[in-house]
Amino acid sequence: MRYSPEALTAFVETVASGSFSAAARKLRKSQSTISTAIAHLEADLGVALFDRSSRHPVLTPEGVRALSYVQAILAASDKLDELAVWLVGETETRLTFILSDTLNPDTLADLLGEFDKRYPHTEFECLIGENEDVIDLLQKGRAQLGLTEARDAYPTDIGVMRLPMQSRMDIYVARGHPLAQQENVSEEQLRTWRELRLNTYLENRNTPARGPVWSAPSYLLLLSMAEQGFGWCALPCALVDEFSGAKKLTRVDVPGWPQSILIDLLWNKKQPPGVAGSWLRYYLQHWRGKQ
């Protein structure tokens, strides 16, 4: 029996999201479409995959057993799509890459140099985005590849690769800021001053701020705000080293900082990268330069 790929995806996303409505939002479908797709899958299998008696759907024992098989089918389908792109061997005329400010500028410089040598006739477009914005741009087909701070879970239509590089983050303020004169600043003391916080276009923060906050959608803009003395900010150390002119910023000695941030490379499984995009993915996966 052939099962609908849309139904299999709806099933896995509902499990991952915890509800039909959340799965619908992630897949950009109506809730009725998701519910109908899963109902058809249950009819094809002859078993109930979810217990719908409570507020949120809960996997039945049959659903638990089916989940790993469905995940394996979808993973194999993704691999087949990637193989098809590789076999065709067509190089993209245009490749759009969403860059995170957490990427070391040296890594980007080397990447661009190698890309230019290999694919001089491919238009390379670089966008700046973080977190939810990266996922949204990929799902809309606006870009083919994107970088983001690593997280535990992604929508089922997003492919992910954990990169062998990390970004160091630390707390910074302008040299004239009162915090710059203090030693061993506690979290409680830090929160009494304005925080400059990353807040992407699509991100919805459920936890209220513990102190005064200004926000911006990119670390580079936050860096500029910090240089002007508007508050403290957690920033990628490499970004500060590269762009903070005349060393306008200084780190604040806060327990637990600096921190290392893992980086993920993402793509849309429905539109897998072509030859140039696959090369870029391979290059970042095997990067061994300075971090």
Side-chain angles (χ1 to χ4, degrees):
M1 180 179 293
R2 296 181 180 272
Y3 303 105
S4 163
E6 291 76 16
L8 299 179
T9 300
F11 171 52
V12 172
E13 190 60 63
T14 298
V15 175
S17 303
S19 69
F20 298 124
S21 58
R25 289 193 296 272
K26 288 289 183 64
L27 297 175
R28 301 181 182 277
K29 305 286 186 180
S30 67
Q31 182 173 337
S32 62
T33 298
I34 299 300
S35 299
T36 300
I38 294 176
H40 287 165
L41 179 60
E42 290 175 320
D44 290 338
L45 292 172
V47 296
L49 298 173
F50 291 105
D51 178 355
R52 297 169 172 79
S53 60
S54 58
R55 180 178 179 183
H56 296 292
V58 178
L59 279 176
T60 62
E62 293 79 9
V64 172
R65 294 192 62 183
L67 179 60
S68 61
Y69 287 92
V70 173
Q71 290 172 327
I73 292 171
L74 292 176
S77 177
D78 294 336
K79 291 293 184 182
L80 185 59
D81 289 340
E82 293 179 11
L83 176 62
V85 172
W86 182 82
L87 290 174
V88 171
E90 292 184 357
T91 301
E92 304 93 319
T93 58
R94 175 176 177 155
L95 180 68
T96 301
F97 179 49
I98 311 169
L99 173 67
S100 167
D101 283 331
T102 58
L103 183 68
N104 191 306
D106 291 327
T107 306
L108 178 62
D110 291 344
L111 169 64
L112 293 178
E114 288 298 319
F115 189 92
D116 182 46
K117 293 177 184 177
R118 292 174 178 268
Y119 305 102
H121 303 296
T122 295
E123 179 184 348
F124 188 91
E125 180 186 23
C126 191
L127 305 178
I128 299 296
E130 306 288 346
N131 302 336
E132 294 296 335
D133 291 349
V134 177
I135 295 174
D136 182 63
L137 288 168
L138 291 172
Q139 288 180 323
K140 290 179 177 177
R142 178 62 181 84
Q144 288 73 53
L145 292 162
L147 294 174
T148 186
E149 296 177 30
R151 60 173 64 185
D152 294 330
Y154 294 93
T156 54
D157 58 341
I158 295 296
V160 57
M161 176 185 295
R162 184 65 44 87
L163 298 181
M165 58 187 69
Q166 296 183 4
S167 176
R168 285 173 61 81
M169 305 279 290
D170 211 340
I171 305 295
Y172 292 92
V173 294
R175 289 192 173 275
H177 192 283
L179 283 173
Q181 316 306 321
Q182 299 185 31
E183 297 182 359
N184 302 318
V185 178
S186 67
E187 281 281 346
E188 289 72 21
Q189 291 175 306
L190 193 65
R191 298 297 175 183
T192 62
W193 296 92
R194 181 189 291 134
E195 175 187 3
L196 305 176
R197 175 189 291 184
L198 182 73
N199 191 29
T200 58
Y201 295 107
L202 294 179
E203 191 169 11
N204 293 315
R205 293 186 177 272
N206 296 320
T207 56
R210 294 172 55 191
V213 168
W214 283 9
S215 62
S218 78
Y219 283 116
L220 196 57
L221 180 54
L222 290 172
L223 181 149
S224 177
M225 294 163 67
E227 286 183 339
Q228 297 175 65
F230 292 122
W232 62 269
C233 186
L235 293 167
C237 300
L239 191 74
V240 174
D241 293 340
E242 182 78 9
F243 294 107
S244 183
K247 300 300 179 183
K248 297 178 181 178
L249 296 178
T250 185
R251 65 176 301 273
V252 182
D253 186 11
V254 180
W257 293 83
Q259 297 180 356
S260 294
I261 304 298
L262 296 173
I263 301 176
D264 284 343
L265 178 65
L266 310 181
W267 62 92
N268 189 334
K269 293 180 181 178
K270 298 178 181 178
Q271 299 173 332
V275 173
S278 296
W279 174 87
L280 187 151
R281 187 168 62 180
Y282 179 87
Y283 181 89
L284 289 175
Q285 182 185 15
H286 296 86
W287 169 257
R288 290 294 182 270
K290 60 182 179 179
Q291 303 298 305

